[in-house]
Amino acid sequence: MELLARHPRPVPLGMKELGPISDLAPFSALIISIVLVVFFIARFYVLEGFLIRRLYGSIYTNMSELNRRGFVNHHIAGVTKLIILIVAAYPFVSVAFCKGPSFNTPYVKGSMVTLGDILIIVAQMLIGIYIFELIYRVKLSPVAVMHHIGTIFIGQAAIAISLRPLREPDAYIEFVLCTVWGAFDTVFELFPHVAIILYRIFPNRHHLLSRIFLVSCFTTALGTVTETVVTMWLFGSTWDRWRLAFKVVTPLLHLAFSAAQIHGTLVFWRMYRRQKRLEREADEEAKDSYVGGVDSRNDFQSPRQSGRITEGEGNCGLHTVELGVPLVDAAEKAG
């Protein structure tokens, strides 16, 4: 009996001719400008104008200006990423993992809008989040700054090198890999925005917050591992289509992003442990008060539990100061 050699089936991305990304690519500057104007209107006239005060009342008004900006930024980033996830899921999966569809495939049958058009727009929306955060936030960690600047340049460069006269033969695959990074950032970095918002709303619910930060730690870690596997699988499957420069630069860029994500995961773990410690301390204080004849479990609040320990916020998360030691939250990784 003869044994037939088995050959791995090539991935669709390695076989299809993707062609130009979108007719909208030359208008990227206009698209990003519109995105930033929309963010300004949402921030200035809607959130800060009336909505966020009506939703949160004194929780928001009692914050410092530093924390207010972070709170608003998490709402804008979280809602925008949710929109990106809903709108871009189909184009992303179709172009990156399905055999037939390409950038020029209509988004809906008979429509003039293509999958590439949608991917260009959502790419500018994601980049716009990082630009808005760099401009709007008062305090950012060095990790957040490097991650955001790197994402902005790489995302825009992937579009620029697909245009004439710079059109690179592997620019389209590079753009797809950028959408892979963006997709994992959108999915696994969405919950950390919710986590920090809940941290601001319920600063003394230590049991709840410890669970939230633990989930955030695991989701960001899972996102980093999954993103690495998928990205390197696509990168290796299309190895023959890459030029030497991209073969060297792409893995290095991925390592840099992964390092920022791992940093954020570790910080979320520290935030989880901190909340567990505060929970134990609150329980011990309440027990001592109860034993002493006064049941103050419902209104106990130590200086450590109050909002006074919070000094500012980092990138996607917060900069808290506990006894003078800075603790940066995991959303600081962008990612």
Side-chain angles (χ1 to χ4, degrees):
M1 181 174 59
E2 296 183 359
L3 295 177
L4 298 178
R6 296 183 178 181
H7 299 282
R9 182 179 300 176
V11 298
L13 185 61
M15 298 184 298
K16 65 173 63 173
E17 292 295 330
L18 295 175
I21 297 174
S22 167
D23 291 337
L24 297 180
F27 303 96
S28 294
L30 176 61
I31 297 172
I32 194 68
S33 299
I34 294 173
V35 169
L36 292 175
V37 169
V38 171
F39 284 167
F40 167 77
I41 293 173
R43 190 269 299 180
F44 189 78
Y45 290 105
V46 180
L47 291 178
E48 293 180 345
F50 67 93
L51 183 59
I52 206 161
R53 284 183 172 84
R54 290 188 180 181
L55 289 176
Y56 302 108
S58 60
I59 294 175
Y60 175 74
T61 55
N62 291 338
M63 293 180 187
S64 66
E65 180 63 21
L66 197 66
N67 293 341
R68 284 184 187 180
R69 290 193 173 217
F71 195 65
V72 171
N73 181 79
H74 285 301
H75 283 77
I76 292 177
V79 172
T80 304
K81 287 183 178 181
L82 182 61
I83 294 173
I84 291 174
L85 183 62
I86 295 172
V87 173
Y90 165 65
F92 166 69
V93 173
S94 298
V95 173
F97 302 105
C98 297
K99 292 183 178 180
S102 64
F103 289 128
N104 295 322
T105 302
Y107 185 64
V108 179
K109 187 175 182 180
S111 173
M112 295 178 60
V113 179
T114 66
L115 301 183
D117 295 339
I118 299 298
L119 290 177
I120 286 288
I121 293 173
V122 297
Q124 298 298 345
M125 290 174 65
L126 187 61
I127 292 171
I129 292 175
Y130 296 135
I131 296 176
F132 175 81
E133 187 165 342
L134 289 175
I135 296 172
Y136 179 65
R137 297 294 290 271
V138 176
K139 182 181 291 186
L140 286 171
S141 73
V143 175
V145 172
M146 289 187 293
H147 174 276
H148 286 16
I149 292 176
T151 301
I152 293 167
F153 283 148
I154 293 168
Q156 296 292 29
I159 298 174
I161 62 177
S162 69
L163 302 175
R164 292 192 177 99
L166 296 177
R167 184 168 293 173
E168 299 285 345
D170 41 13
Y172 314 125
I173 309 178
E174 177 70 16
F175 179 76
V176 172
L177 282 188
C178 287
T179 63
V180 172
W181 285 323
F184 279 95
D185 179 88
T186 302
V187 173
F188 291 99
E189 298 299 324
L190 181 59
F191 186 76
H193 292 295
V194 178
I196 305 306
I197 291 173
L198 293 177
Y199 175 84
R200 293 301 182 196
I201 299 174
F202 308 110
N204 301 322
R205 300 277 297 273
H206 302 301
H207 179 69
L208 172 66
L209 292 175
S210 65
R211 290 179 177 270
I212 290 173
F213 288 138
L214 183 61
V215 172
S216 299
C217 175
F218 283 123
T219 56
T220 52
L222 177 63
T224 302
V225 173
T226 310
E227 176 185 1
T228 300
V229 171
V230 174
T231 302
M232 292 299 103
W233 171 64
L234 288 175
F235 181 68
S237 301
T238 56
W239 180 261
D240 293 337
R241 302 185 64 171
W242 294 92
R243 292 194 305 160
L244 179 60
F246 285 93
K247 289 180 179 179
V248 174
V249 171
T250 301
L252 294 178
L253 292 175
H254 181 74
L255 287 176
F257 286 142
S258 297
Q261 292 168 340
I262 292 171
H263 168 78
T265 299
L266 294 176
V267 175
F268 259 133
W269 174 255
R270 292 197 292 269
M271 294 292 288
Y272 157 73
R273 297 189 63 181
R274 176 176 176 272
Q275 291 299 323
K276 292 296 290 184
R277 187 182 70 253
L278 292 176
E279 181 184 3
R280 289 193 299 269
E281 291 176 359
D283 291 341
E284 290 172 0
E285 290 274 359
K287 186 182 299 183
D288 292 342
S289 299
Y290 183 77
V291 171
V294 179
D295 187 357
S296 58
R297 285 173 293 179
N298 294 329
D299 56 8
F300 169 77
Q301 186 181 58
S302 68
R304 184 179 296 224
Q305 288 173 279
S306 70
R308 287 179 293 179
I309 63 171
T310 301
E311 185 176 89
E313 295 192 3
N315 152 29
C316 267
L318 42 138
H319 237 89
T320 60
V321 176
E322 181 185 6
L323 302 179
V325 180
L327 186 59
V328 185
D329 183 81
E332 212 171 340
K333 61 184 166 36

